[in-house]
Amino acid sequence: ASFLLLCFRSPLATPLIFGLLLQAPPTQLSTITQPNFVLLLADDLGIGDVGCYGNDTIRTPNIDRLAKEGVKLTQHIAAAPLCTPSRAAFLTGRYPLRSGMDAVNDYRVIFWNAGSGGLPPNETTFAKILQQQGYSTGLIGKWHQGVNCESRNDHCHHPLKHGFDYFYGMPFTLISDCQPTETPEMDRAFRRKLWLSTQTIGLITLTAVLGRLTGLISVQWKTLTCLAGFSLLFFVSWFSSYGFVRYWNCIMMRNHGITEQPMVTDRTTALILRESISFIERNKHRPFLLFLSFLHSHTPLLTTEKFLGRSKHGLYGDNVEEMDWMVGQVLDAIDKEGLKDTTLVYFASDHGGWLERQEGKRQLGGWNGIYKGGKAMGGWEGGIRVPGIFRWPGVFPAGTVIDEPTSLMDIYPTVVQLAGGAVPQDRVIDGRDLLPLLRGTVAHSGHEFLFHYCGVHLHAARWHQRDTGAVWKAHYVTPIFSPPGAGACYDRGFCPCFGEGVTHHEPPLLFELSQDPSEAKPLSADTEPLFDTVIRRIGRAIEEHRRTLTPVPEQLSVSNVVWKPWLQPCCGTFPFCWCDKEDDN
């Protein structure tokens, strides 16, 4: 003690103390324990829709600011080209077929709130691990991972069963059916067939009745009664679900309770933003995880009047610019609470833009820049290469661009490790911890190979040959574009994963993405000396990968995705489901 007293009385003490105080704070990661996490995930946003990825007509200053202040990933890959499987992979760090969240059929996403499929209860999300580490965990916005299993209120797939303390948003996904003024979107082609079948059966029944009345045909009234009954039952069997999509799927929930059924779309954006900022304010004194899962920029492109007509890309551009403004509001809330230096912010999209989404001459889907293909295409880059931005001041070097293969699945081990948790050891985790790459302590990502699925069908695989820097990609299956050469499946609305709508390649199509990111010039044994070597090496990697797969229940089987009235979330007495508790408040 006497020594310390003498030191402070020394004439050198004052300048020494001031010098220490004025030193820049160290950027050692060990000085920050349990950072906050704000994960921002856009819906259907194309990589070419963002300013910092090359778009010079849609204004995204806030997303661009994140990239300027942090790290931009240029080869950030979704594990699936559609919402449900991609988000399952994001939440679990695992390829979606490991949890049964990818499809063997054409039903590749969850179709109803009243389906029984969803993210299995035995899957461990990053939210669940952070919850165990003392984090306050919140999900605001879109879920699309299922709700119930066996009864209306078991909530076995609900966010609160998967590690989130608080949920406000849509258990389903935004669709055009949620907007009364828009053309119905859900299962549009199948609905047309049902209507046609109903009209055909009805016409047959009416013709038979008229023929009986006029004596032109001889048929018993009992037979006609049965035919009429069948017509009515057929109509009721499908119209009870598809006729009320807005009431069954377009609902808003707070935790387990329904707040709007159907949702009032005019105020949805404001409520989601309010809930997000409120969550930050409520939890500023403890470590928190906020997963803001935007409804933007999925159709019907809900956009407030303030942003309508502002962009050069019609309603879609307006919607993206509004989402960017929402990002800015969330960043401002973080700054206002003094949390900027202790908060890791991440921005991405769940998959590529939807090229085929059009109404007349209006383009309602996104743009994927120089990359071929889009949403629903498991192999082509446009369906799976997405924006990926990290910001953590003082830890991640600002203005950094990384062109290494990374995945949305990497968020899982990255946030778990930073929160002080442990990655589960009883299952395969396909994600890799990004922290060394983001901090610049290693040159390469942890991914040597990435596998690209369309449903459960492997369409492509990439090999990052680290010693040369080459990124090889082999396509085993590709969709057949319609009309030919159009770059998408405009005649279908979605590109299929199997059947007559795809082409199988033997030998595979091979591209070197670092030289040909647009996948425009397939290589061959004649043009690439390493062709056979590369194909063999990727083939061995696929065999090794397949040996790690184990059979699991199919969550997206037909029996799991169909509408089951006894599972329908309802804020009244079924089937009279209607409420607006936000208006009451």
Side-chain angles (χ1 to χ4, degrees):
S2 59
F3 172 75
L4 290 173
L5 187 62
L6 285 171
C7 286
F8 278 106
R9 286 178 177 174
S10 166
L12 293 175
T14 300
L16 179 62
I17 292 169
F18 273 104
L20 289 171
L21 291 174
L22 290 172
Q23 278 187 343
T27 59
Q28 296 293 327
L29 189 63
S30 58
T31 62
I32 302 175
T33 58
Q34 292 197 313
N36 306 310
F37 299 100
V38 175
L39 310 180
L40 309 171
L41 192 65
D43 197 3
D44 284 20
L45 181 74
I47 191 171
D49 294 325
V50 184
C52 57
Y53 284 90
N55 193 305
D56 57 3
T57 53
I58 296 179
R59 293 164 295 189
T60 56
N62 296 293
I63 299 171
D64 299 346
R65 171 160 61 102
L66 274 180
K68 185 178 180 180
E69 296 176 353
V71 178
K72 182 178 76 170
L73 305 175
T74 63
Q75 202 177 157
H76 200 41
I77 307 298
L82 285 173
C83 307
T84 295
S86 175
R87 290 162 182 269
F90 175 74
L91 288 161
T92 64
R94 291 151 52 82
Y95 286 107
L97 78 166
R98 295 193 190 277
S99 57
M101 292 294 281
D102 233 336
V104 298
N105 51 50
D106 288 327
Y107 292 96
R108 295 161 58 190
V109 298
I110 288 173
F111 262 67
W112 300 97
N113 281 324
S116 54
L119 191 62
N122 63 352
E123 287 294 326
T124 302
T125 66
F126 57 72
K128 187 173 290 185
I129 298 177
L130 266 63
Q131 190 180 53
Q132 295 166 354
Q133 293 301 116
Y135 274 72
S136 177
T137 56
L139 166 60
I140 312 295
K142 170 176 173 171
W143 175 237
H144 210 192
Q145 298 293 301
V147 183
N148 298 312
C149 288
E150 297 178 353
S151 67
R152 184 166 291 129
N153 295 310
D154 66 27
H155 298 124
C156 68
H157 303 306
H158 191 278
L160 269 59
K161 285 288 180 68
H162 282 292
F164 291 100
D165 299 314
Y166 184 76
F167 169 60
Y168 178 81
M170 288 191 76
F172 192 60
T173 181
L174 195 61
I175 50 177
S176 292
D177 304 68
C178 299
Q179 191 86 313
T181 58
E182 291 291 321
T183 304
E185 170 185 336
M186 185 173 155
D187 235 354
R188 187 183 299 183
F190 184 54
R191 264 200 265 193
R192 280 198 293 262
K193 292 178 182 177
L194 289 171
W195 268 117
L196 181 61
S197 299
T198 301
Q199 291 167 351
T200 301
I201 295 170
L203 184 60
I204 291 171
T205 303
L206 182 60
T207 302
V209 170
L210 291 174
R212 176 67 174 81
L213 290 173
T214 58
L216 293 176
I217 59 174
S218 177
V219 60
Q220 295 182 355
W221 283 111
K222 183 178 179 180
T223 303
L224 291 175
T225 303
C226 290
L227 185 58
F230 173 76
S231 301
L232 181 61
L233 285 174
F234 178 76
F235 174 71
V236 170
S237 69
W238 70 264
F239 193 77
S240 59
S241 56
Y242 285 105
F244 300 90
V245 170
R246 184 165 164 256
Y247 284 84
W248 301 152
N249 280 347
C250 304
I251 68 176
M252 298 290 286
M253 298 182 76
R254 178 175 286 107
N255 296 326
H256 289 145
I258 298 173
T259 59
E260 298 177 38
Q261 189 171 15
M263 64 193 292
V264 182
T265 55
D266 290 346
R267 64 186 180 211
T268 303
T269 297
L271 290 174
I272 285 177
L273 182 58
R274 184 190 73 183
E275 290 281 347
S276 301
I277 294 174
S278 175
F279 183 85
I280 293 171
E281 293 171 346
R282 291 197 310 271
N283 294 284
K284 60 185 176 183
H285 296 303
R286 60 178 296 188
F288 66 82
L289 160 71
L290 170 61
F291 176 20
L292 173 49
S293 179
F294 289 104
L295 303 184
H296 297 60
S297 50
H298 199 292
T299 49
L301 302 174
L302 298 183
T303 308
T304 57
E305 188 174 350
K306 175 182 175 182
F307 286 89
L308 289 175
R310 286 183 41 165
S311 82
K312 297 180 182 179
H313 286 276
L315 182 60
Y316 182 83
D318 298 343
N319 193 254
V320 173
E321 291 191 2
E322 180 174 58
M323 179 183 64
D324 177 81
W325 170 79
M326 294 174 71
V327 170
Q329 294 297 299
V330 171
L331 297 180
D332 289 347
I334 293 170
D335 293 350
K336 178 185 174 185
E337 302 300 338
L339 302 172
K340 182 175 181 178
D341 292 340
T342 55
T343 301
L344 183 156
V345 179
Y346 167 74
F347 177 85
S349 177
D350 56 356
H351 50 71
W354 190 358
L355 301 180
E356 297 94 342
R357 189 66 178 97
Q358 300 172 330
E359 291 291 349
K361 295 183 178 180
R362 290 196 305 163
Q363 176 63 34
L364 300 179
W367 182 51
N368 301 311
I370 65 171
Y371 304 107
K372 181 182 290 186
K375 177 178 178 175
M377 303 182 209
W380 295 121
E381 288 292 282
I384 54 178
R385 191 183 289 223
V386 297
I389 302 171
F390 287 84
R391 187 193 76 174
W392 189 2
V395 179
F396 300 156
T400 303
V401 178
I402 295 176
D403 190 27
E404 289 284 306
T406 58
S407 170
L408 267 70
M409 297 184 291
D410 298 339
I411 301 307
Y412 187 98
T414 303
V415 301
V416 166
Q417 299 281 7
L418 283 170
V423 172
Q425 300 300 307
D426 62 345
R427 66 200 64 193
V428 176
I429 300 296
D430 298 296
R432 301 290 182 264
D433 183 4
L434 287 177
L435 191 60
L437 184 68
L438 295 172
R439 299 192 70 207
T441 58
V442 298
H444 299 297
S445 79
H447 292 287
E448 184 178 8
F449 296 93
L450 282 169
F451 307 98
H452 309 306
Y453 284 89
C454 187
V456 299
H457 309 276
L458 183 72
H459 274 205
R462 82 180 62 208
W463 174 31
H464 183 209
Q465 193 176 3
R466 293 169 181 161
D467 55 343
T468 66
V471 180
W472 305 98
K473 187 174 173 194
H475 287 262
Y476 299 90
V477 183
T478 57
I480 299 173
F481 293 147
S482 55
C489 302
Y490 291 100
D491 293 348
R492 292 174 175 263
F494 272 118
C495 283
C497 297
F498 60 93
E500 297 179 354
V502 302
T503 299
H504 294 263
H505 300 281
E506 182 56 48
L509 297 179
L510 182 67
F511 300 92
E512 210 283 79
L513 295 181
S514 65
Q515 300 296 320
D516 181 20
S518 300
E519 299 174 286
K521 302 174 183 176
L523 304 171
S524 67
D526 296 329
T527 60
E528 175 52 63
L530 295 175
F531 183 89
D532 292 331
T533 302
V534 171
I535 293 300
R536 283 196 300 269
R537 181 66 189 95
I538 294 177
R540 289 200 303 272
I542 291 172
E543 291 175 5
E544 293 167 8
H545 164 68
R546 283 177 169 157
R547 284 197 288 270
T548 70
L549 302 176
T550 55
V552 293
E554 296 174 14
Q555 297 298 321
L556 302 182
S557 64
V558 174
S559 62
N560 276 331
V561 300
V562 297
W563 183 72
K564 300 178 176 69
W566 60 92
L567 298 183
Q568 177 60 52
C570 181
C571 63
T573 301
F574 185 84
F576 305 104
C577 304
W578 183 91
C579 64
D580 186 355
K581 297 179 182 177
E582 294 293 348
D583 189 53
D584 295 342
N585 291 334

